[in-house]
Amino acid sequence: MGLSTPVSGSGSAAFPPVSGAALRAGVLEAILFGAHLLHYPTGIRQERHAAGNSASDSRPPVLLLHGFSDNRSVFVLLRRALAAGGGRRVEAYNYSPLTLDLRVAARSLARRVEELCERTGRERIDLVGHSLGGLVGRYYVQRLGGDARVGTLVTLGTPHSGTRVAPFMDAHPLVRQIRPDSAVIADLRAPAPGCRTRCVAFWTEFDELMDPPGTARIEHPDLHAENIEVTGIGHLALAAHPAVAAAVLRALDAPGPTAVEPPGDAASVA
């Protein structure tokens, strides 16, 4: 199931002309990358968590999962938006930067989710993953029984069908696992009958790490999946732009298809 239209792959040998929208998205990516580099050290350490569940936490807790070689600092703006007004506990999980196998990260996530449920007294939580973090979350939900714990999985720029970007990085085992022909991607293509988790995938045509861009869509006959196209921004901005944050908030709150409203600024979602 999906709301967005198919996107063609990037197979041209010549460099196409750069549109004004693509240029603006690239400039925003550069600004966000610089800001993220400055903020990165603040997210290296695993965060500490308060015991118990606040009386105002009326909605399921949200656990944030960062991408490859990143940490929880990438979510500073999104986290603030999701927690605004109270009523929702938002935490972030740093899986090890030395992880060489996505499946190991997914098993570590399973333990972290169990700890969160026990600590808060909740039966189910929601997951929001950026880039590789979304694939870790999906593997947990689809292959490790995580659908018993996760109500909604939101992914932001996640290579669900594998990405061909940066072939020179194939020496890293984790990068090899996000190629279209990897065993991990084959596991995610396998049948998943009865999966109870609702999936919402945000993707953008200007995502420089998704090759082709449509690989960030979830296309699986057994999954309850909704694909939402974001226009005007790139990969890093998916975890930081206020228009995306507002749409993620609606996706977590809505039991059905996400109601997306025009944001009226640099990005739009459709």
Side-chain angles (χ1 to χ4, degrees):
M1 297 176 230
L3 296 185
S4 56
T5 55
V7 176
S8 60
S10 53
S12 175
F15 291 102
V18 179
S19 68
L23 182 60
R24 288 190 294 273
V27 170
L28 178 59
E29 284 291 287
I31 293 172
L32 288 173
F33 182 72
H36 185 41
L37 281 182
L38 292 176
H39 197 68
Y40 187 93
T42 67
I44 291 176
R45 298 184 64 180
Q46 200 75 260
E47 66 183 11
R48 296 185 178 184
H49 312 292
N53 198 40
S54 169
S56 65
D57 293 343
S58 58
R59 289 166 290 185
V62 175
L63 190 60
L64 306 173
L65 304 171
H66 62 80
F68 177 67
S69 74
D70 211 339
N71 63 42
R72 59 189 175 88
S73 64
V74 73
F75 293 118
V76 61
L77 297 178
L78 178 61
R79 182 173 188 165
R80 187 179 304 161
L82 296 182
R88 176 181 279 118
R89 177 189 290 260
V90 182
E91 298 183 0
Y93 175 53
N94 280 357
Y95 53 88
S96 172
L98 302 179
T99 298
L100 300 179
D101 192 324
L102 183 147
R103 293 162 292 197
V104 172
R107 288 193 288 271
S108 296
L109 170 62
R111 293 190 291 271
R112 176 67 175 82
V113 170
E114 290 302 316
E115 182 274 332
L116 175 58
C117 289
E118 181 178 357
R119 176 162 43 84
T120 61
R122 305 300 290 262
E123 291 295 322
R124 291 170 73 82
I125 70 161
D126 294 326
L127 289 177
V128 177
H130 179 237
S131 196
L132 182 68
L135 212 59
V136 172
R138 180 178 167 190
Y139 198 94
Y140 163 60
V141 161
Q142 190 175 328
R143 303 294 299 176
L144 301 179
D147 62 319
R149 288 296 195 192
V150 179
T152 299
L153 168 67
V154 174
T155 67
L156 308 168
T158 290
H160 290 288
S161 300
T163 178
R164 298 189 297 264
V165 76
F168 59 87
M169 292 184 65
D170 277 356
H172 196 294
L174 201 55
V175 174
R176 292 199 298 271
Q177 289 185 333
I178 61 173
R179 297 308 187 199
D181 58 352
S182 75
V184 166
I185 298 301
D187 281 347
L188 294 176
R189 291 195 189 104
C195 184
R196 290 161 283 183
T197 298
R198 171 175 169 258
C199 302
V200 183
F202 289 81
W203 67 285
T204 170
E205 62 177 326
F206 296 139
D207 193 327
E208 63 278 12
L209 297 187
M210 299 298 110
D211 183 13
T215 192
R217 294 166 49 94
I218 296 178
E219 305 287 359
H220 195 295
D222 294 333
L223 298 183
H224 174 41
E226 180 184 356
N227 295 297
I228 300 176
E229 182 177 8
V230 183
T231 62
I233 63 174
H235 185 77
L236 191 57
L238 283 169
H241 200 283
V244 179
V248 170
L249 191 60
R250 290 191 292 272
L252 294 175
D253 287 341
T258 305
V260 180
E261 300 172 2
D265 53 17
S268 64
V269 281

